[in-house]
Amino acid sequence: MGGTMDGTKQRRRGDTRQRIQDVALELFAEQGYEKTSLREIAERLGVTKAALYYHFKTKEEILVSIFEDLTRPVEELAEWAGQQPRTLETKHEILRRYSEALRAAAPLFRFMQENQATVRELSIGDMFKSRLLGLRDILIDPEAELVDQVRSLSALFTLHAGMHVLQDVEGDPEDKHKAVLEVATDLITQAHRGARDS
Amino acid sequence: MGGTMDGTKQRRRGDTRQRIQDVALELFAEQGYEKTSLREIAERLGVTKAALYYHFKTKEEILVSIFEDLTRPVEELAEWAGQQPRTLETKHEILRRYSEALRAAAPLFRFMQENQATVRELSIGDMFKSRLLGLRDILIDPEAELVDQVRSLSALFTLHAGMHVLQDVEGDPEDKHKAVLEVATDLITQAHRGARDS
Amino acid sequence: MGGTMDGTKQRRRGDTRQRIQDVALELFAEQGYEKTSLREIAERLGVTKAALYYHFKTKEEILVSIFEDLTRPVEELAEWAGQQPRTLETKHEILRRYSEALRAAAPLFRFMQENQATVRELSIGDMFKSRLLGLRDILIDPEAELVDQVRSLSALFTLHAGMHVLQDVEGDPEDKHKAVLEVATDLITQAHRGARDS
Amino acid sequence: MGGTMDGTKQRRRGDTRQRIQDVALELFAEQGYEKTSLREIAERLGVTKAALYYHFKTKEEILVSIFEDLTRPVEELAEWAGQQPRTLETKHEILRRYSEALRAAAPLFRFMQENQATVRELSIGDMFKSRLLGLRDILIDPEAELVDQVRSLSALFTLHAGMHVLQDVEGDPEDKHKAVLEVATDLITQAHRGARDS
DNA sequence: AATGAATGAGCTTTCATTCAT
DNA sequence: AATGAATGAAAGCTCATTCAT
């Protein structure tokens, strides 16, 4: 009060919306969506619950807004992928870019991974599904042998689960990331070859 | 009243505990643990909420009891595995038996897969972790290259996720099961060879 | 606590549902439906809000249950009326019995009179409308002159409003009741004659 | 911004207060006072809630201002009536002018009719009561027989309720209006005669 | 083996209102 | 003449849990 304000209060001007999203995602990822109450989010931010409702219409909308902001890269990737030929090169590129997108929005994807039951009931469930179907259709050849289809799926699982699970394992994050991508790429490659040869 | 009544009412005598577990698991798997209320479970069974408390001390205990009953095979497998030599043959056998255990208790594992955030906060989180660590330690050689460690993990992911995700895909369930197991076995084999050769 | 319980606590056993309805109607009539909160009702009864929800699913259901219990006589009257010939005698009898029904459930009808906007939006609005339409169709001849139709309506208004407004006027309640009924009967008679003569 | 802009934006300059009143009355009449939120009013107008507070101190003040503007004719009528002799002619004239006033401000009176419980708790309740007492005292002879007092009241009810209820009935509005007035006049006349003869 | 009645804590959401700009 | 941001209070409702019977 008084003097040249420059501290936290000042910097927070106008970025409340963003701060809500940050805190919310942190808590959602940590405790799950249902176990995180708006009271908790508001308290962490030092505002009232009602303030959240100034910025977002519902609790779900907070999550949706986070989702929309953070999955834009995936959306773009899916669009791009839809226009590529179904070559092995394309598939590799998709995995590379997808793993990058996952990394960039790790907390969100960890949340989605660990709260699938919740996500399924919310609107983002459908959004994400449709967003992923594009990639799936490129990566997986419906004509291929079942084993190879599974291999392709497995590549995706590996990417998704890999990052979260490997957090417990010691080692350089960059190395782990590369290892995960390598395994996924291997799987896709085998699947692709299989489809060719059959 | 009195006499030799048979039929549904009669047959249900004494199996209420079991019926609670069945309905609870069904709902937990379908909607998630937090979104499933005891009221809902009781209503489906045609009893009152208080009746649930005659059989179980808390909501969590319902889940724990289901978990304990259904993961006993996994526990036994882990015990058995701990005494085996770390050969490729052993690893294959573990995957085979583990995938069988997953299949036998599919709804529970689907639940755990889709509610990781919840499970982590409950006591079954720790139980399961410790139960799985045995398998993990056999399957994954901590001395192996990172890529091969990832491959082994990937084998597990594939088993876990494979069954649920493949439900959408058309095809004979038995075939799908075999395909998933084959991919997992392949991954483990590669990982094992890698470890040998390095 | 201890000894031979006989007091209020004892008498209240099992009649909570009824007591909720009583208190609710009193408050609804006094302050209106929206301005009466469940907290207020619960406090007056010395129970918690949650107790109300044991007995009724929603706030509206409390009102609906009161309505259903108290308007049964009107329903029966409407049924009876539907099977009578459209004579002046019938009309007089309807007014007599209707005014009796209104008197028996005075607080409810006062509430409905003074909260029409609210009632219209709730389900009881439709219920009441349909329940009244029967009477209306008997009392009002659609072929009659407009003035006479208005006269019939006016008879109903008089009955409805009469009781509440006359509370401010001094005088024996019985006398007032008779006076209101007489005016209503007069109006109906004029309307009936008009219809005959035209 | 500067210049000679005309059109909607321009025409609305300065009449925001009026527009608030219009929209508010419309919503109050449609949904009731409590169920109409300031947010709703503001949204319909395309302004913020805070803008309402520039023009009115409270929600109630919006209603009061509407009331004051629209009931001025009734106030004047009451004043005029107070100075007239208590002849039948005067009474007829009052009904005629009152019914005209009701018609001119129909939405407001519909609102007051359908939200009596609310109105009673607000300041306009008292205002209106005192404003009406003048008319009442002229129309109703406290010395008259109870039946005739009721008849006079009935004349007022008829005027009040008639317009709203008759909206459902088919027919020329002008005709309906006349019919209502005729019935009211009839009632007052009978009441007046009764008083004379007793 | 189970019910009826109730509680306490908590939830998401809405509202009228304020105030610096 | 109006907005953007926020608040405090309260609302309706749900939940897991308890306990006497």
Side-chain angles (χ1 to χ4, degrees):
Chain A
M1 308 230 166
T4 48
M5 295 186 293
D6 62 343
T8 51
K9 262 265 162 80
Q10 191 70 352
R11 297 207 55 194
R12 274 163 183 180
R13 253 308 152 60
D15 62 349
T16 302
R17 197 189 140 94
Q18 179 66 47
R19 287 173 61 230
I20 293 173
Q21 291 177 318
D22 293 348
V23 169
L25 178 51
E26 195 182 325
L27 290 173
F28 288 164
E30 203 179 294
Q31 321 176 335
Y33 177 77
E34 353 257 352
K35 299 250 308 181
T36 302
S37 71
L38 296 184
R39 179 183 54 67
E40 213 173 346
I41 297 174
E43 255 167 26
R44 278 234 192 164
L45 285 167
V47 298
T48 60
K49 272 181 292 170
L52 306 185
Y53 280 91
Y54 176 74
H55 294 281
F56 301 95
K57 270 211 286 283
T58 63
K59 183 184 179 184
E60 185 172 350
E61 224 210 59
I62 299 180
L63 180 55
V64 169
S65 79
I66 296 171
F67 176 82
E68 279 174 347
D69 288 2
L70 261 49
T71 60
R72 200 148 303 147
V74 175
E75 204 182 359
E76 287 162 12
L77 172 56
E79 253 169 51
W80 174 86
Q83 297 163 328
Q84 300 313 112
R86 223 186 230 154
T87 65
L88 182 55
E89 231 348 275
T90 301
K91 292 178 179 175
H92 285 181
E93 179 70 9
I94 289 173
L95 289 184
R96 217 176 299 135
R97 288 168 69 168
Y98 190 50
S99 83
E100 214 51 62
L102 290 178
R103 179 149 68 161
L108 174 64
F109 286 103
R110 183 185 156 208
F111 166 77
M112 296 192 61
Q113 178 85 9
E114 297 187 341
N115 292 269
Q116 291 173 56
T118 299
V119 164
R120 193 168 3 110
E121 311 247 297
L122 299 179
S123 58
I124 61 170
D126 295 332
M127 292 189 212
F128 193 58
K129 211 164 195 171
S130 74
R131 213 154 284 191
L132 267 190
L133 284 189
L135 295 187
R136 215 202 205 184
D137 289 349
I138 303 290
L139 292 178
I140 303 180
D141 183 350
E143 310 274 289
E145 301 261 354
L146 198 50
V147 216
D148 285 320
Q149 292 192 35
V150 172
R151 254 187 268 268
S152 302
L153 275 174
S154 194
L156 280 175
F157 301 156
T158 302
L159 243 42
H160 268 271
M163 13 201 54
H164 311 306
V165 175
L166 284 180
Q167 283 187 330
D168 310 342
V169 177
E170 95 297 343
D172 176 40
E174 193 54 36
D175 286 350
K176 292 191 279 187
H177 183 247
K178 270 183 194 153
V180 165
L181 183 53
E182 187 181 333
V183 173
T185 308
D186 256 31
L187 281 162
I188 272 288
T189 307
Q190 288 174 48
H192 190 81
R193 297 257 158 79
R196 278 304 96 120
D197 302 348
S198 68
Chain B
M1 313 236 163
T4 49
M5 292 187 298
D6 58 11
T8 54
K9 257 279 162 72
Q10 191 70 351
R11 299 206 56 191
R12 274 165 182 177
R13 260 290 164 78
D15 64 347
T16 302
R17 198 188 138 93
Q18 179 65 48
R19 288 172 60 231
I20 293 172
Q21 292 177 317
D22 292 348
V23 169
L25 178 52
E26 195 182 327
L27 290 174
F28 289 163
E30 203 178 295
Q31 323 174 336
Y33 176 77
E34 349 260 352
K35 298 250 307 183
T36 301
S37 69
L38 296 184
R39 179 179 56 65
E40 213 173 346
I41 297 174
E43 256 167 26
R44 277 233 191 162
L45 285 167
V47 298
T48 59
K49 270 186 293 171
L52 307 185
Y53 279 89
Y54 178 79
H55 294 281
F56 300 95
K57 271 213 287 286
T58 63
K59 183 185 180 184
E60 185 172 351
E61 226 210 58
I62 298 180
L63 180 55
V64 170
S65 79
I66 295 170
F67 177 81
E68 279 174 346
D69 290 1
L70 261 49
T71 59
R72 200 149 301 149
V74 174
E75 205 181 358
E76 287 161 13
L77 171 58
E79 254 168 49
W80 173 86
Q83 297 163 330
Q84 299 314 111
R86 221 184 233 155
T87 65
L88 182 55
E89 231 349 276
T90 302
K91 293 179 180 175
H92 284 182
E93 180 68 9
I94 290 174
L95 288 185
R96 217 175 299 132
R97 288 169 70 169
Y98 190 51
S99 84
E100 215 52 61
L102 289 180
R103 177 149 70 160
L108 174 63
F109 287 102
R110 181 184 159 211
F111 165 76
M112 296 193 61
Q113 177 85 6
E114 296 188 342
N115 292 270
Q116 292 173 56
T118 299
V119 164
R120 193 172 358 111
E121 310 247 301
L122 299 179
S123 57
I124 62 168
D126 295 333
M127 293 190 212
F128 192 59
K129 213 165 194 170
S130 73
R131 213 154 282 191
L132 265 190
L133 283 191
L135 296 186
R136 212 203 209 184
D137 288 350
I138 304 290
L139 293 177
I140 303 180
D141 183 351
E143 310 276 291
E145 301 259 359
L146 198 48
V147 214
D148 286 318
Q149 292 191 36
V150 171
R151 254 187 268 268
S152 302
L153 275 174
S154 194
L156 282 174
F157 301 155
T158 302
L159 243 42
H160 269 271
M163 12 199 55
H164 311 306
V165 175
L166 283 180
Q167 285 187 329
D168 310 342
V169 178
E170 94 297 344
D172 176 41
E174 193 55 36
D175 286 351
K176 291 192 279 186
H177 184 247
K178 271 185 194 152
V180 165
L181 183 55
E182 186 180 335
V183 172
T185 308
D186 254 31
L187 280 162
I188 271 289
T189 307
Q190 288 174 51
H192 190 81
R193 297 258 160 80
R196 280 302 99 125
D197 303 348
S198 69
Chain C
M1 309 226 165
T4 48
M5 295 185 292
D6 62 343
T8 50
K9 262 268 163 78
Q10 190 69 351
R11 298 207 55 193
R12 275 165 183 177
R13 255 304 152 64
D15 62 347
T16 303
R17 197 188 139 92
Q18 180 65 48
R19 289 172 60 230
I20 293 172
Q21 292 177 318
D22 293 348
V23 169
L25 178 52
E26 195 182 325
L27 290 173
F28 288 164
E30 202 179 293
Q31 321 176 334
Y33 176 77
E34 351 258 353
K35 297 250 310 180
T36 301
S37 70
L38 296 184
R39 180 183 54 67
E40 213 172 348
I41 298 174
E43 256 167 24
R44 278 235 191 162
L45 285 167
V47 298
T48 59
K49 269 183 295 169
L52 306 185
Y53 280 93
Y54 176 75
H55 294 280
F56 300 95
K57 269 210 288 283
T58 62
K59 183 184 181 185
E60 184 172 350
E61 224 211 58
I62 298 180
L63 180 56
V64 169
S65 79
I66 297 172
F67 177 82
E68 279 174 347
D69 289 359
L70 263 49
T71 60
R72 201 149 301 148
V74 175
E75 204 182 358
E76 286 161 13
L77 172 57
E79 253 169 50
W80 173 86
Q83 297 162 329
Q84 300 314 111
R86 221 187 232 152
T87 66
L88 184 53
E89 230 350 274
T90 301
K91 292 179 180 175
H92 284 182
E93 181 67 10
I94 289 173
L95 288 185
R96 218 176 298 133
R97 289 170 69 168
Y98 190 50
S99 84
E100 215 50 63
L102 289 180
R103 178 149 68 162
L108 174 63
F109 286 103
R110 182 183 157 212
F111 166 78
M112 296 192 62
Q113 179 83 11
E114 297 187 342
N115 291 270
Q116 291 173 57
T118 299
V119 164
R120 191 167 6 107
E121 309 247 299
L122 299 180
S123 58
I124 62 169
D126 296 331
M127 293 190 212
F128 192 59
K129 213 164 195 172
S130 75
R131 214 155 281 193
L132 267 190
L133 283 190
L135 296 186
R136 214 203 206 184
D137 288 349
I138 304 289
L139 293 176
I140 303 181
D141 184 350
E143 310 274 289
E145 302 259 354
L146 198 49
V147 215
D148 284 320
Q149 293 192 35
V150 172
R151 253 187 269 267
S152 302
L153 275 174
S154 194
L156 281 174
F157 301 156
T158 303
L159 242 42
H160 268 271
M163 9 200 56
H164 311 306
V165 176
L166 283 180
Q167 284 186 328
D168 310 342
V169 178
E170 93 298 343
D172 176 40
E174 193 54 38
D175 287 351
K176 292 191 280 186
H177 184 247
K178 271 184 194 151
V180 165
L181 183 54
E182 186 180 333
V183 173
T185 309
D186 255 32
L187 280 162
I188 271 289
T189 308
Q190 288 174 50
H192 190 81
R193 297 257 159 79
R196 281 301 96 124
D197 302 348
S198 70
Chain D
M1 312 215 168
T4 48
M5 291 186 299
D6 60 10
T8 52
K9 258 272 162 76
Q10 191 68 353
R11 298 204 56 192
R12 275 165 180 178
R13 259 288 165 75
D15 62 349
T16 301
R17 198 189 138 93
Q18 179 65 47
R19 288 172 60 230
I20 293 172
Q21 291 177 318
D22 292 348
V23 168
L25 178 52
E26 195 182 325
L27 289 174
F28 288 163
E30 202 178 295
Q31 323 175 337
Y33 177 77
E34 348 259 354
K35 297 249 309 182
T36 302
S37 70
L38 296 185
R39 180 180 53 67
E40 213 173 345
I41 298 175
E43 255 166 26
R44 277 234 192 162
L45 285 167
V47 298
T48 59
K49 273 186 289 172
L52 306 184
Y53 280 89
Y54 178 80
H55 294 281
F56 300 95
K57 269 214 287 285
T58 64
K59 183 185 180 184
E60 186 172 351
E61 226 210 59
I62 298 180
L63 179 55
V64 170
S65 79
I66 295 171
F67 176 82
E68 279 174 345
D69 289 1
L70 261 48
T71 61
R72 198 148 302 147
V74 176
E75 202 180 2
E76 286 163 13
L77 172 57
E79 253 169 49
W80 173 87
Q83 296 162 331
Q84 300 312 112
R86 221 184 233 155
T87 65
L88 183 55
E89 231 348 276
T90 302
K91 292 179 180 176
H92 284 181
E93 181 68 10
I94 288 174
L95 289 184
R96 216 175 301 132
R97 288 168 69 168
Y98 190 51
S99 84
E100 216 50 62
L102 289 180
R103 177 148 68 161
L108 174 64
F109 286 103
R110 181 184 158 211
F111 165 77
M112 296 192 61
Q113 178 84 9
E114 297 187 341
N115 292 271
Q116 290 172 57
T118 299
V119 164
R120 193 171 0 109
E121 311 247 300
L122 300 180
S123 58
I124 62 169
D126 296 331
M127 292 189 213
F128 191 59
K129 210 164 197 172
S130 74
R131 213 154 281 191
L132 265 190
L133 282 190
L135 295 186
R136 212 203 207 183
D137 290 349
I138 304 288
L139 292 178
I140 302 179
D141 184 349
E143 310 274 292
E145 301 261 358
L146 199 49
V147 216
D148 284 321
Q149 291 192 35
V150 171
R151 254 187 267 268
S152 302
L153 275 173
S154 194
L156 281 175
F157 301 155
T158 303
L159 243 43
H160 268 271
M163 12 199 54
H164 310 307
V165 175
L166 283 180
Q167 284 187 328
D168 310 342
V169 178
E170 93 298 344
D172 176 39
E174 193 55 37
D175 287 350
K176 292 191 279 186
H177 183 247
K178 271 184 191 150
V180 166
L181 183 53
E182 187 179 333
V183 173
T185 309
D186 256 31
L187 279 161
I188 271 289
T189 307
Q190 288 174 50
H192 190 81
R193 296 259 158 78
R196 277 306 96 121
D197 303 348
S198 68

